[in-house]
Amino acid sequence: MRDLLMIPGPVEFEPEVLQALGAPTLGHTDPAFIALFGRALKRMREVCLAPGAQPFVVAGSGTLAMEMAVANLVEPGDRALVVNTGYFSDRMAKILERHGAQVTHVRAAPGDVPSADEVETHLVRGGFKVMTVTHVDTSTAVLTPVEALVRAARKHGVLSVVDGVCATAGESFHQDAWGADVYLTASQKAVGVPPGLALLTVGPRAMEAWRARKTPVASVYSDWAEWLPIMEAYEAGKPAYFATPPVNLVCALEVSLGQILAEGMEARFARHQRMARAFRAAWKALGLRMLPTSDAVAAHTLSAVYYPDGVDAALVGRVKGQGIVVAGGLHPELKARYFRVGHMNRVGPTDVLAAVGAVERALLAAGHRSEPGAAVAAAQASLVAG
Ligand code: PMP
């Protein structure tokens, strides 16, 4: 029997998306492919609520999307402010430093976020070209108050780059309205497409900053100068070539983005919130503590939950034995002390109850004391309450 994949990416995908991925490959200059690539680009703007942005769809993973943003915006000696909420913020800092930026971190303890005031204090001091924010840090399940932060960056004339790899199309985000300059993501999480695509929507200020560079972008494959004419051509219905596009993944993306838009962005954000609330009710009923220090900073796309006393990382294997794949910890300081459950993309009430039931059975088998069925009942009550 097939296990249900509930890690924080890759996730379970819709059959129509997988069919598109498995269909005979079109030539990258086939008129049918040009038309659907053009639609996928337009849909990227709608999903990110960024009508004024330039989308980029490139073969690669989320890390490439991070590197593309940095490589195109940062020049050696530029100063960057990293709002650091964990493992993937550290990765962003590493990429920034590799591209010659001088990085300042504004950190919080694992499970928490730096306050908007603290971030603004740094922004006020001036001198930063970019500020990076991890929308949801997948290592801690912390949701950053991204709207306040990007608005502050804009106020102080600093470009904001938001890593939405574990958030895009799952967590509320209004790129244009909030004034975020770059939103970057990957295909394999709430965007609903198997791994392999680096995705960015780049706002006009960021495009302007890229155009005003004095030094060339230090990577040919990442350079927007190579990709911009390609994206523009596909949107205009014309063939173009720089590097062979991942044709089948782009076909799958076009399908998934269509499904996401058919659900509606606000409805989709609300569904992710409902599922997250049901999981939280279950963790509480089991007497488990979440890594995020409060509900206000807890992501809706995944849960990170401490093992109770007497239970260790072997729980992940026990949960798999119950038919659900969850993930272990990732934050270097706390890795062995918690597990993570992804709840993105097509996750609905049935998946929530199945996952909670599996975790509950595995915990009971590991010797944890709780009333059998209490966690499932709590999740169910939350789902019924809406
Ligand atoms: N940023 C965040 C927030 C992530 O969760 C991930 C992947 N888990 C990445 C960046 C890197 O993406 P990828 O693994 O696709 O390179």
Side-chain angles (χ1 to χ4, degrees), residues 8-9 60-64 66 88 91 134-139 163-167 184 186-189 195 197 330 340:
S61 76
T63 306
L64 178 72
M66 296 164 84
F88 289 103
R91 177 171 297 185
T134 312
H135 193 176
V136 167
D137 193 281
T138 324
S139 69
D163 171 354
V165 174
C166 200
L184 65 92
S187 50
Q188 73 270 19
K189 304 193 196 215
L197 291 176
L330 183 62
R340 295 173 301 150

Side-chain angles (χ1 to χ4, degrees), residues 179-205:
D181 294 302
V182 177
Y183 200 36
L184 65 92
T185 193
S187 50
Q188 73 270 19
K189 304 193 196 215
V191 172
V193 177
L197 291 176
L199 306 167
L200 301 97
T201 40
V202 181
R205 280 203 326 166

Side-chain angles (χ1 to χ4, degrees), residues 41-278:
L41 291 165
K42 288 187 174 65
R43 288 176 181 174
M44 283 275 298
R45 282 196 196 89
E46 291 178 58
V47 165
C48 296
L49 298 150
Q54 173 60 50
F56 292 90
V57 173
V58 174
S61 76
T63 306
L64 178 72
M66 296 164 84
E67 188 135 35
M68 276 187 97
V70 170
N72 284 279
L73 292 180
V74 167
E75 295 186 68
D78 284 344
R79 294 188 55 210
L81 184 65
V82 173
V83 179
N84 194 318
T85 46
Y87 184 91
F88 289 103
S89 309
D90 284 337
R91 177 171 297 185
M92 187 63 102
K94 180 178 180 177
I95 295 170
L96 282 161
E97 277 166 357
R98 187 67 61 87
H99 286 271
Q102 291 174 36
V103 173
T104 302
H105 294 264
V106 49
R107 289 179 195 273
D112 210 350
V113 295
S115 74
D117 284 351
E118 218 178 317
V119 173
E120 192 150 6
T121 306
H122 281 85
L123 291 170
V124 167
R125 283 189 202 135
F128 293 108
K129 180 169 187 189
V130 297
M131 176 193 78
T132 66
V133 178
T134 312
H135 193 176
V136 167
D137 193 281
T138 324
S139 69
T140 53
V142 161
L143 172 68
T144 310
V146 70
E147 179 180 356
L149 300 183
V150 301
R151 284 190 189 279
R154 169 144 288 201
K155 190 166 107 193
H156 296 289
V158 177
L159 293 168
S160 57
V161 173
V162 180
D163 171 354
V165 174
C166 200
T168 308
E171 296 285 358
S172 178
F173 192 76
H174 297 73
Q175 184 171 351
D176 269 16
W178 296 354
D181 294 302
V182 177
Y183 200 36
L184 65 92
T185 193
S187 50
Q188 73 270 19
K189 304 193 196 215
V191 172
V193 177
L197 291 176
L199 306 167
L200 301 97
T201 40
V202 181
R205 280 203 326 166
M207 291 305 290
E208 205 38 58
W210 163 71
R211 284 197 184 91
R213 289 179 68 92
K214 295 188 182 66
T215 56
V217 171
S219 152
V220 173
Y221 189 77
S222 290
D223 194 346
W224 289 340
E226 304 290 352
W227 291 109
L228 182 60
I230 307 303
M231 300 299 136
E232 287 177 339
Y234 275 109
E235 248 196 295
K238 297 188 196 121
Y241 169 76
F242 160 57
T244 308
V247 172
N248 289 55
L249 280 165
V250 174
C251 296
L253 178 71
E254 191 260 346
V255 173
S256 187
L257 295 180
Q259 291 177 339
I260 289 168
L261 292 168
E263 181 176 12
M265 296 318 298
E266 296 308 321
R268 190 170 173 92
F269 299 148
R271 174 170 58 82
H272 281 79
Q273 287 168 11
R274 273 200 314 282
M275 300 310 128
R277 277 200 299 274

